[in-house]
Amino acid sequence: MADRRITRWPWISLLLSAAAALNPVGLDILRSAFFAGEQLARSIGQAVVLIAVVIMALVIALEWLVRLLITRSRARGVTS
């Protein structure tokens, strides 16, 4: 059986966050949050972007924590 090592980097969450931000809908939300002509549209867009960034950061931190716990348990020799 091949030696599969788990990295501590939360690459799955980072890729999903990048995909969410760099698709046409995500780019449109970012564009409207900072470059909209009306103040109300900018305020709403900035709130949406801020909430999305906080959620992405929490998911990334959660994945990092899970990966850290898995690597530590495997280092101790726990098999289950």
Side-chain angles (χ1 to χ4, degrees):
M1 186 160 84
D3 184 26
R4 296 185 317 180
R5 297 180 185 248
I6 294 180
T7 64
R8 292 186 197 167
W9 290 99
W11 60 272
I12 295 172
S13 299
L14 289 172
L15 285 176
L16 289 176
S17 299
L22 298 176
N23 68 38
V25 175
L27 289 174
D28 189 40
I29 291 172
L30 287 172
R31 197 173 301 119
S32 69
F34 297 106
F35 301 116
E38 187 177 332
Q39 179 63 36
L40 179 63
R42 278 195 310 270
S43 296
I44 293 172
Q46 288 173 354
V48 168
V49 168
L50 178 65
I51 291 169
V53 167
V54 168
I55 290 172
M56 287 182 207
L58 289 174
V59 169
I60 289 169
L62 180 65
E63 182 183 354
W64 178 80
L65 179 64
V66 167
R67 287 176 177 268
L68 181 68
L69 293 174
I70 289 173
T71 55
R72 284 187 181 175
S73 69
R74 286 189 178 178
R76 281 188 302 224
V78 176
T79 58
S80 58

